[in-house]
Amino acid sequence: VKADIVVYGKTLGGGLPIGICCGPKDLMQRGDKLKAARINYVIGTFAGHPFVMATMNAFLKWLQTPETIKSYDTMHENIDRFISKANSSFKEKGYPIQLASWFSVWSILYSDPGRYHWMFQYYLKDAGVNLSWVGTGRLLFSLEWQHKDYDRLLERLLVACEAMKNGGWWDPPVANIKQKLGVEVATAVAKNVLSMLSGSS
């Protein structure tokens, strides 16, 4: 896909809260040669700030060095090893989770249906794995991590899994979850409709 306009996020600034919009000259012109008053305003907290431009310049130069390229290759190898080892451990112990990754971004997926999977993030926190506000849906690995860091993370994941299992939150559901949720939702909707009808009469 050859995009007309591309937007880059924080990666381009080495983690700074900035972004860039790139495109061909005809699409990126700030003014209209036929209408002088028609101007596209570029507004932002750090738009064009010398500190931001210098930081991005240093980051992009660093990104192209052989050492940096090798460090990213090493990180991807470590992540592949970690994901494979972790998923094997989960399967062996019967935990209903599996990990998936795309480069340094990874997620925790659930292999079996359950109403209480959302509680796993709190067991992870209790085990020492601090998560962002999005919970287990989107996680990031650090470029600086070594084998011992991935092994430590797996150890903490297994501790959280065992605690979750011992708490009974991963016990197989007695009832059909989808059917039960459907009944609950339908009942709630029916109550709301009846309440609205009785209130309007």
Side-chain angles (χ1 to χ4, degrees):
V1 176
K2 186 176 181 180
D4 295 322
I5 292 179
V6 179
V7 177
Y8 295 98
K10 297 176 184 176
T11 303
L12 205 60
L16 289 177
I18 56 174
I20 288 185
C21 183
C22 305
K25 185 177 180 179
D26 59 321
L27 296 179
M28 297 299 294
Q29 288 182 350
R30 294 185 60 186
D32 189 330
K33 59 183 179 182
L34 300 178
K35 298 179 181 179
R38 193 175 188 180
I39 299 175
N40 292 322
Y41 290 98
V42 179
I43 301 172
T45 307
F46 300 110
H49 193 284
F51 173 75
V52 173
M53 302 302 290
T55 302
M56 291 173 59
N57 184 41
F59 174 75
L60 292 174
K61 286 181 177 177
W62 170 82
L63 196 61
Q64 298 177 58
T65 63
E67 296 80 14
T68 302
I69 294 172
K70 186 176 185 305
S71 68
Y72 273 97
D73 290 339
T74 300
M75 179 183 69
H76 295 150
E77 291 172 2
N78 288 338
I79 292 173
D80 289 342
R81 167 186 166 273
F82 167 76
I83 296 293
S84 177
K85 184 178 179 181
N87 285 338
S88 295
S89 298
F90 299 147
K91 187 174 182 179
E92 178 186 341
K93 295 178 180 296
Y95 301 141
I97 68 170
Q98 60 183 30
L99 308 184
S101 68
W102 188 75
F103 293 99
S104 61
V105 181
W106 62 290
S107 294
I108 299 176
L109 310 176
Y110 300 95
S111 54
D112 295 329
R115 295 191 67 173
Y116 305 105
H117 291 324
W118 59 271
M119 294 182 62
F120 185 53
Q121 61 184 313
Y122 297 104
Y123 278 95
L124 284 173
K125 285 178 178 286
D126 190 55
V129 181
N130 195 27
L131 306 174
S132 67
W133 64 272
V134 294
T136 57
R138 184 176 180 274
L139 305 159
L140 296 170
F141 288 115
S142 171
L143 182 63
E144 298 178 352
W145 272 28
Q146 304 299 320
H147 283 299
K148 62 181 179 62
D149 300 305
Y150 291 98
D151 292 341
R152 173 67 171 165
L153 174 59
L154 178 54
E155 176 204 338
R156 295 290 89 198
L157 283 170
L158 292 173
V159 167
C161 284
E162 188 63 21
M164 183 84 171
K165 183 178 181 180
N166 290 339
W169 302 113
W170 276 340
D171 290 346
V174 177
N176 185 304
I177 293 179
K178 289 185 179 179
Q179 184 179 13
K180 192 169 183 180
L181 282 174
V183 171
E184 287 182 11
V185 171
T187 302
V189 170
K191 285 182 178 179
N192 284 336
V193 171
L194 291 173
S195 175
M196 287 167 46
L197 291 175
S198 62
S200 60
S201 58

